[in-house]
Amino acid sequence: MAAEPPPSLSYRTTGSTCLHPLSELLGIPLDQVNFVACQLFALFAAFWFRSYLSPGKTSPDVRHAFATIFGICFVIFCFGWYSVHLFVLVLMCYGIMVTASTSNIHRCSFFVAMGYLTICHISRIYIFHYGILTTDFSGPLMIVTQKITTLAFQVHDGLGRKAEDLSTEQRRLAVKAKPSFLEYVSYLLNFMSVIAGPCNNFKEYIAFIEGRHTHMKLLEVNWKEKGFHSLPEPSPTTFPVTCLVDDWFVHKANFLTRLCYLYVVMQASKPKYYFAWTLADAVNNAAGFGFSGVDKNGNFCWDLLSNLNIWKIETATSFKMYLENWNIQTATWLKRVCYERVPWHPTVLTFILSALWHGVYPGYYFTFLTGILVTLAARTVRNNYRHYFLSSKALKVVYDIVTWAATQLAVSYTVAPFVMLAVEPTISLYKSMYFYLHIISLLIILFLPIKPQAHNQRRPQTLNSVNKKKID
């Protein structure tokens, strides 16, 4: 196992030191105090932004400018000189946006953004040697990378491809003109999402800034036709992850105890993500950007930028359901730039891109390679056996209970390396668990028949694909 980092790394100062006394008093790393302070201030700023800089009171340029200035100030406050990385990447990619051809803009932006992000990830390993235990600049850099690549692909869709070659969603989100510099930096660095995300779409952000967002969402659900005419973080220390490689856990605890303890430890690592993403969601909703339309009962929905669904995560009965409700906007980004677009092995390539985006710690790759096996095995089991349990409610309840337990244990096993980061503790953990999930997944994939899914939803349907089917 990697050596424990010196305290200076765990409590390093990368941003403002004005909250240093509070950090010492609470025993919380200064970076995390700065992060919470920024997000809370962002929440109040969002209410002010919506009330005093509403589209009816000021111009889009002013809204862009204030959103950008606030965002830049937050980044500098939280991350100090490390924020330079963010600004360098934004400026480089805007240069690509202006100079690259529409046929290559998505490729150039993708490789530059992902390349710069990867270099920063690698530098963190050599500088901090697995000791980066606090909030760091790579988080905002990862979010900006998502936005840069999302916008580049959508500009390519709008200017470099024919409408009939696009799926319905790609056509809806396609950007028909390259953004101005102010629009570009506002989209990437606005205070509502620069610290903790989530990723969002350029067209929706511009519609929000210009005051068309709510009206646009209501039009999507035919609001007037329905009879409506008016708009109405430190991890817990009770179960530290380091215990997973303790002598007691590895050599003395029985297998069932290890399973249960691993589940509890992984559960204890979730609250910081729940807090950060829920607070980020609240910031966007407070500003009015989170409005997603109206449900079938006519109720307003505010989940456009939601990054997780805690209830569905904790009650997930399949690996797929769990992943679909965790870090939702990142999953959507992966689907739009990789899963829907690659011609072969979409699941494998999507997991690889996800691992590369997260960083270069070996633990990430253990997690995502294991995730590939588990996903394929779970899909195979579901396609072979689920239909036998749908004949009665009692059987369906039994199926749901068993698959819930299996899913929660599988997720805990799969994501443990993501938290542990290094090779040695990961191998030690998996050896103590007898690599049981790897072995079971491989046996399922090798010996169960591969049945096609009921609905193949990977490749979005385009006008050309519909016409080809008609011709065939």
Side-chain angles (χ1 to χ4, degrees):
M1 185 176 177
E4 285 292 318
S8 60
L9 288 183
S10 298
Y11 290 85
R12 65 185 177 83
T13 302
T14 59
S16 172
T17 60
C18 65
L19 297 178
H20 197 193
L22 178 61
S23 171
E24 291 183 343
L25 178 64
L26 298 177
I28 300 174
L30 178 60
D31 289 356
Q32 294 181 8
V33 174
N34 287 351
F35 168 80
V36 173
C38 255
Q39 286 297 83
L40 290 175
F41 186 80
L43 184 60
F44 289 108
F47 284 113
W48 177 84
F49 187 79
R50 186 178 185 183
S51 299
Y52 295 97
L53 292 181
S54 64
K57 296 180 180 179
T58 189
S59 69
D61 286 348
V62 172
R63 281 168 62 83
H64 277 306
F66 271 88
T68 306
I69 292 170
F70 283 171
I72 291 174
C73 290
F74 288 173
V75 170
I76 294 174
F77 177 82
C78 275
F79 308 107
W81 73 268
Y82 288 103
S83 57
V84 169
H85 289 290
L86 217 64
F87 307 143
V88 168
L89 180 58
V90 169
L91 292 176
M92 284 196 304
C93 289
Y94 184 70
I96 294 173
M97 178 65 65
V98 172
T99 59
S101 66
T102 54
S103 59
N104 291 313
I105 194 170
H106 58 307
R107 297 189 186 95
C108 295
S109 297
F110 181 87
F111 285 114
V112 169
M114 284 300 302
Y116 194 89
L117 176 64
T118 302
I119 290 171
C120 288
H121 280 319
I122 293 172
S123 69
R124 288 174 56 214
I125 285 186
Y126 287 103
I127 295 173
F128 302 113
H129 189 59
Y130 298 98
I132 188 98
L133 301 182
T134 61
T135 308
D136 65 275
F137 73 95
S138 68
L141 199 63
M142 291 161 73
I143 298 299
V144 164
T145 297
Q146 285 186 340
K147 289 186 177 183
I148 287 170
T149 53
T150 296
L151 176 55
F153 273 98
Q154 290 171 351
V155 169
H156 170 66
D157 289 342
L159 299 177
R161 298 177 67 190
K162 296 179 180 178
E164 57 267 25
D165 292 332
L166 304 177
S167 69
T168 302
E169 184 184 39
Q170 289 169 351
R171 202 158 43 244
R172 180 178 68 86
L173 298 174
V175 177
K176 301 293 185 180
K178 291 185 178 181
S180 68
F181 179 72
L182 181 59
E183 290 173 333
Y184 192 79
V185 295
S186 175
Y187 170 62
L188 298 180
L189 301 176
N190 69 82
F191 75 95
M192 296 172 289
S193 59
V194 69
I195 299 296
C199 180
N200 48 69
N201 297 299
F202 180 76
K203 282 185 71 172
E204 291 174 336
Y205 178 73
I206 294 301
F208 157 71
I209 289 292
E210 295 178 353
R212 297 181 286 107
H213 172 67
T214 302
H215 181 65
M216 183 177 71
K217 290 298 177 183
L218 293 178
L219 286 179
E220 289 178 4
V221 295
N222 299 318
W223 177 255
K224 290 187 177 181
E225 292 181 13
K226 294 184 177 181
F228 301 96
H229 300 285
S230 61
L231 296 179
E233 144 188 54
S235 299
T237 56
T238 309
F239 297 96
V241 69
T242 52
C243 287
L244 298 178
V245 290
D246 282 352
D247 181 70
W248 168 82
F249 183 89
V250 174
H251 299 295
K252 298 178 181 178
N254 60 51
F255 183 71
L256 182 60
T257 300
R258 291 173 191 164
L259 279 180
C260 295
Y261 196 85
L262 177 61
Y263 171 72
V264 173
V265 170
M266 292 300 103
Q267 286 293 101
S269 69
K270 292 180 185 177
K272 60 184 178 183
Y273 297 102
Y274 288 174
F275 172 79
W277 287 336
T278 301
L279 187 57
D281 192 19
V283 169
N284 282 281
N285 286 351
F289 189 21
F291 182 66
S292 60
V294 184
D295 65 16
K296 61 182 179 181
N297 298 318
N299 299 317
F300 292 146
C301 297
W302 289 87
D303 59 357
L304 177 69
L305 302 174
S306 294
N307 223 10
L308 78 167
N309 186 316
I310 297 175
W311 174 254
K312 289 185 177 179
I313 288 170
E314 299 300 340
T315 60
T317 56
S318 70
F319 204 73
K320 178 176 180 290
M321 180 179 175
Y322 193 105
L323 295 180
E324 285 178 346
N325 291 284
W326 174 271
N327 207 351
I328 295 170
Q329 302 305 327
T330 293
T332 302
W333 170 70
L334 290 168
K335 181 187 76 170
R336 287 174 180 161
V337 305
C338 182
Y339 191 79
E340 291 181 343
R341 297 178 186 265
V342 296
W344 25 252
H345 304 304
T347 299
V348 174
L349 292 177
T350 300
F351 271 108
I352 291 173
L353 174 59
S354 183
L356 184 62
W357 176 76
H358 277 90
V360 292
Y361 286 120
Y364 296 162
Y365 294 85
F366 275 101
T367 287
F368 290 110
L369 290 174
T370 303
I372 293 171
L373 285 178
V374 175
T375 298
L376 296 176
R379 184 183 299 165
T380 302
V381 170
R382 181 182 178 85
N383 291 342
N384 276 276
Y385 295 110
R386 184 174 184 270
H387 59 279
Y388 293 120
F389 294 87
L390 301 180
S391 57
S392 72
K393 290 185 178 179
L395 284 175
K396 182 63 166 58
V397 170
V398 172
Y399 176 84
D400 287 343
I401 293 174
V402 172
T403 53
W404 171 83
T407 296
Q408 299 301 320
L409 292 177
V411 169
S412 299
Y413 179 97
T414 302
V415 303
F418 192 95
V419 178
M420 304 176 84
L421 299 178
V423 174
E424 186 178 343
T426 296
I427 296 297
S428 175
L429 171 66
Y430 279 163
K431 284 175 66 177
S432 72
M433 307 292 288
Y434 310 114
F435 291 91
Y436 84 94
L437 192 58
H438 290 90
I439 295 171
I440 292 173
S441 298
L442 283 171
L443 291 176
I444 289 172
I445 293 169
L446 290 174
F447 293 105
L448 279 184
I450 299 176
K451 294 185 178 181
Q453 293 177 269
H455 301 285
N456 186 2
Q457 297 178 340
R458 181 180 82 83
R459 183 67 62 182
Q461 194 175 59
T462 67
L463 292 178
N464 274 351
S465 64
V466 172
N467 293 334
K468 286 180 181 177
K469 288 181 181 179
K470 291 179 178 178
I471 293 174
D472 294 341

